[in-house]
Amino acid sequence: MRRIHDKMLRGQTRMGWLDSFHSFSFGSFSDPARMGLGPLRVVNEDFIIPGAGFAPHDHADMDILTYVLSGRIAHEDSLGHRAELGPDELQMMTAGSGITHAEMNPSETEGTHLYQIWIMPDAGGGAPAYQQLALDPDLGRGALAVIASGRQEAPVRLNSGTDLYRARLVAGDAVPLAVAPGRHGFAQILSGIAEVEGERLSAGDALEFRDTAPMELVWQTAGEMLFFDLPR
């Protein structure tokens, strides 16, 4: 099975300070065909105006990752962490048995563009935790490179049998995509244009697949992607 998640069919939340696009059902957006994929529950692309953000709120039993494309985001949580996150950094908050946090754009002049990702852990409860790591800008140049995982050595440790990869490509690069039987693949295009088996994907689109022969994502322009290798 292979299907493209058209960016124009994503849900959208628009407020005075936030424009958010939802690859899966989220908030008031409900689509039976977009209810998550294995433990992957949320892939939101957020645009936050200067000086605004998410006021303190609670989470439990979720791994929440933040990946900034431009601008910065300031994080505070009930564990006492206070940090700023920018491009080439990865943040993961393990909500565990419960955590309160806030995420704000600290700039008064520059907007923030980020992806927020929610992945269900293999087991609920446990102690909440926070990780933030600077990634080498060359990590994923021309090929998939793991940035978070619960199955293999990776910069950030997940609490599920999920592997998350990043790739940064130029025109002409071909990225092979495959997952083992019994697993899902999900490729989220962050920027640029690529083609797979004659179909075009651009920023905001995603590719979901399982039980398929290996395929290649061939890049028509420079771009960036995240790839999830997920248990069912």
Side-chain angles (χ1 to χ4, degrees), residues 39 61-65 92-96 119-131 148-151 156-163 231:
D61 295 331
M62 197 68 67
D63 284 349
I64 300 175
L65 295 101
M92 190 182 89
M93 187 177 68
T94 300
I119 302 174
M120 293 181 63
D122 287 342
Y130 180 82
Q131 302 176 63
S149 178
R151 301 197 306 162
V156 167
R157 182 72 181 174
L158 298 175
N159 295 298
S160 68
T162 299
D163 301 318

Side-chain angles (χ1 to χ4, degrees), residues 137-223:
D138 289 328
L139 185 65
R141 295 282 185 197
L144 294 171
V146 66
I147 59 173
S149 178
R151 301 197 306 162
Q152 59 178 299
E153 187 71 24
V156 167
R157 182 72 181 174
L158 298 175
N159 295 298
S160 68
T162 299
D163 301 318
L164 172 59
Y165 299 83
R166 176 174 85 174
R168 290 180 160 175
L169 300 314
V170 298
D173 282 344
V175 180
L177 296 179
V179 294
R183 293 181 66 86
H184 292 289
F186 189 80
Q188 178 68 55
I189 308 300
L190 305 183
S191 64
I193 299 171
E195 287 188 358
V196 59
E197 298 179 347
E199 294 189 86
R200 179 165 287 198
L201 297 93
S202 60
D205 291 329
L207 173 69
E208 172 190 344
F209 63 93
R210 68 174 186 272
D211 302 326
T212 64
M215 65 189 86
E216 283 191 328
L217 202 56
V218 181
W219 289 80
Q220 311 302 303
T221 69

Side-chain angles (χ1 to χ4, degrees), residues 59-180:
H59 288 287
D61 295 331
M62 197 68 67
D63 284 349
I64 300 175
L65 295 101
T66 301
Y67 187 78
V68 177
L69 299 183
S70 64
R72 299 188 68 78
I73 198 78
H75 168 92
E76 293 188 13
D77 65 41
S78 53
L79 299 180
H81 298 110
R82 286 172 173 77
E84 286 193 18
L85 183 77
D88 286 317
E89 294 180 276
L90 182 64
Q91 175 198 93
M92 190 182 89
M93 187 177 68
T94 300
S97 58
I99 193 169
T100 301
H101 76 118
E103 310 289 334
M104 305 294 290
N105 178 353
S107 173
E108 294 300 324
T109 59
E110 183 181 8
T112 299
H113 178 196
L114 60 80
Y115 271 80
Q116 189 174 92
I117 298 153
W118 297 8
I119 302 174
M120 293 181 63
D122 287 342
Y130 180 82
Q131 302 176 63
Q132 181 174 328
L133 184 73
L135 300 172
D136 185 333
D138 289 328
L139 185 65
R141 295 282 185 197
L144 294 171
V146 66
I147 59 173
S149 178
R151 301 197 306 162
Q152 59 178 299
E153 187 71 24
V156 167
R157 182 72 181 174
L158 298 175
N159 295 298
S160 68
T162 299
D163 301 318
L164 172 59
Y165 299 83
R166 176 174 85 174
R168 290 180 160 175
L169 300 314
V170 298
D173 282 344
V175 180
L177 296 179
V179 294

Side-chain angles (χ1 to χ4, degrees), residues 12-57:
Q12 185 176 14
T13 298
R14 297 196 71 178
M15 304 178 186
W17 59 275
L18 172 70
D19 203 358
S20 181
F21 296 90
H22 316 309
S23 294
F24 299 110
S25 296
F26 182 85
S28 62
F29 169 61
S30 180
D31 181 346
R34 291 177 178 244
M35 298 302 293
L37 194 63
L40 182 61
R41 286 293 178 261
V42 170
V43 178
N44 286 352
E45 183 179 13
D46 293 343
F47 298 84
I48 305 168
I49 68 169
F54 300 92
H57 58 286

